[in-house]
Amino acid sequence: MNLQTQSLSTHFLLPLFPSKPNFLPPKQTPFRKTSLISCSLSTVSVPTTTNHKPFPAEVSRTIMELSCIGTLSTIAQDGWPLGVGVRFAVDAEGTPVVCLAHASRVLSLDNRSTLHVQLEQCGSRTPQCTIQGSLDKPADAKVLRRFDSVWKKRFGEEADVVNLYIVDVERVLQIEDFNEDGIWVTSSAYKNANPDPLRDFAEGIVNEINTNNMEDIHRFCNVYVDLDFQVSEAKMLWVDCLGFDLRIYSPHKGAFEVRIPFPREVTDEKGAKSSFNGMSQLAWEVEKNFHVPDFQKVKQLKQITYSGVQ
C-alpha cells in the first residue's frame, strides 16, 4: 500500500444503490434490485490501478465554472497589496470578467493582479485556483458587448460596461486543498482545457450517496481498495467524469483520501449513474462470494491530517 503524506442539484427519486439484494430464479447469478435508474446498465468492468484524475487545468476550469465569487488582489496605487471580494463570470476560454464600480481603489499602476477562487467539496475539501494576469479594460466596443453578455448569462442582469474588466490570464496555480503544494498551469493549457461535464450534477450526486448509501461506500472501500485496516468512517467527497474521491478514517491508522476510477470515462449524469450502479452490483457480488475478484485493487492512498470524516 503506497501512502502519499499530505501536510496539511440534482436529487434522485430513489436511492442510488439499493441495499437489499433481490435474488433471481435458481441457477442464475444473484442480483440486487436496481430500480432507481431508468437508463440501462452497460457492461461492467472493474476499476484499473491507474490513478485517473482530471488534469490541473481541467480542475481549474471546473472551479471557475462552478464559482462566481473570488478575491481580486492588486498592488494599489499607494504601494500596498489590496484584496477585495468580487463577483465574476467566465467566457468560453475561462477568462474572468469582473464588474468594478470603484475600479480606482484596486487598479495598480502596472495592472498586475490575481483572482483567487475556492470550491468547497462536501464540507471537507477545498480545491482552489489562483489566476495571475493583468486587469484590463477592453477598448473595443464589440468585445465589451460580448463580455456583457457573458455577465448577463451568469447573473441574469446587465452590467454597466463602463465598469467591466477582465483578468487576462498569464498562468494559474491549482491547489487540491489547504496546506498543499500547488501546480502551475500555463495560460494556453488553461484556456484549451474543458471543465468537467459532470460539474452541474456532482454536488447532488455526492449528497444523495452520502445520505442514503453509506453501506455501498464502505463496500467500495473493502472491495476496490487495498487496505490493511478497518474503515470506521467513509464518505464521498466529489465525483467527476473519470471517477470519485472518498475520505476514509480509521482510529488506528488515521484519515486518508482515495481515488476510485470509473470503469470508463462518463460524459453525463446518466453515464455516471450507470457506472455507479454497475460498480455497486459488482462489489456486492464480490462481497457475497458470487464473483471472484479478478482485478487489482486501488493501492494509492493519500494520508491527511484530519480528526474524522465529518
Side-chain angles (χ1 to χ4, degrees):
M1 179 175 64
N2 298 325
L3 300 183
Q4 177 184 348
T5 303
Q6 171 194 331
S7 55
L8 234 75
S9 345
T10 300
H11 297 282
F12 305 132
L13 295 179
L14 297 173
L16 185 59
F17 301 131
S19 58
K20 295 183 179 180
N22 182 26
F23 294 97
L24 296 176
K27 297 183 180 181
Q28 295 188 15
T29 302
F31 195 83
R32 294 192 306 154
K33 187 185 299 181
T34 55
S35 59
L36 75 125
I37 292 177
S38 59
C39 63
S40 60
L41 288 176
S42 56
T43 302
V44 177
S45 59
V46 299
T48 67
T49 57
T50 303
N51 188 26
H52 293 291
K53 299 181 69 174
F55 291 113
E58 296 171 326
V59 175
S60 295
R61 288 295 304 274
T62 299
I63 292 172
M64 297 299 290
E65 288 281 344
L66 289 177
S67 306
C68 62
I69 297 175
T71 301
L72 179 68
S73 299
T74 64
I75 300 297
Q77 295 185 11
D78 60 4
W80 284 87
L82 178 65
V84 295
V86 295
R87 292 193 300 167
F88 69 89
V90 291
D91 68 1
E93 292 187 336
T95 301
V97 181
V98 297
C99 187
L100 303 175
H102 303 284
S104 60
R105 297 179 182 176
V106 297
L107 289 179
S108 60
L109 297 178
D110 57 9
N111 288 347
R112 286 183 298 173
S113 65
T114 63
L115 179 62
H116 178 75
V117 182
Q118 301 179 172
L119 178 66
E120 185 178 278
Q121 295 177 340
C122 203
S124 299
R125 186 174 67 181
T126 308
Q128 310 160 38
C129 69
T130 301
I131 294 179
Q132 284 188 341
S134 58
L135 184 63
D136 297 329
K137 184 174 183 58
D140 187 276
K142 184 177 180 180
V143 174
L144 273 174
R145 286 195 298 269
R146 179 169 65 85
F147 286 129
D148 181 47
S149 66
V150 169
W151 184 272
K152 185 176 182 179
K153 181 179 180 181
R154 183 68 179 88
F155 295 108
E157 62 186 32
E158 292 185 356
D160 187 347
V161 294
V162 175
N163 298 325
L164 280 183
Y165 291 79
I166 65 168
V167 180
D168 191 9
V169 181
E170 293 289 337
R171 61 176 183 168
V172 180
L173 179 64
Q174 200 275 312
I175 302 176
E176 288 190 358
D177 202 355
F178 293 115
N179 296 324
E180 291 197 13
D181 292 332
I183 298 176
W184 284 104
V185 176
T186 65
S187 174
S188 59
Y190 172 80
K191 292 180 179 180
N192 291 326
N194 292 316
D196 187 75
L198 293 186
R199 61 189 182 278
D200 293 330
F201 315 108
E203 184 176 5
I205 292 173
V206 169
N207 289 340
E208 187 71 15
I209 292 173
N210 285 333
T211 300
N212 299 320
N213 303 102
M214 279 294 97
E215 180 180 344
D216 292 276
I217 294 298
H218 281 267
R219 185 178 291 119
F220 279 15
C221 297
N222 295 331
V223 172
Y224 293 130
V225 185
D226 185 13
L227 299 175
D228 60 359
F229 56 85
Q230 187 70 31
V231 173
S232 62
E233 299 177 68
K235 72 174 181 178
M236 184 175 291
L237 295 180
W238 198 250
V239 60
D240 54 59
C241 66
L242 298 180
F244 49 91
D245 300 318
L246 301 182
R247 171 74 56 84
I248 62 178
Y249 177 74
S250 165
H252 302 294
K253 294 287 188 176
F256 300 85
E257 286 184 12
V258 59
R259 173 76 174 183
I260 300 181
F262 285 138
R264 62 187 59 81
E265 182 176 352
V266 300
T267 58
D268 54 25
E269 184 182 17
K270 180 180 178 181
K273 292 179 181 180
S274 178
S275 290
F276 276 127
N277 276 346
M279 293 174 69
S280 178
Q281 171 63 32
L282 179 59
W284 181 83
E285 291 179 5
V286 170
E287 184 182 69
K288 301 299 182 182
N289 296 319
F290 295 127
H291 184 98
V292 178
D294 55 356
F295 54 86
Q296 292 183 325
K297 295 185 176 184
V298 174
K299 295 180 180 293
Q300 185 173 3
L301 303 179
K302 182 170 73 174
Q303 190 168 20
I304 59 176
T305 303
Y306 194 70
S307 59
V309 169
Q310 298 300 325

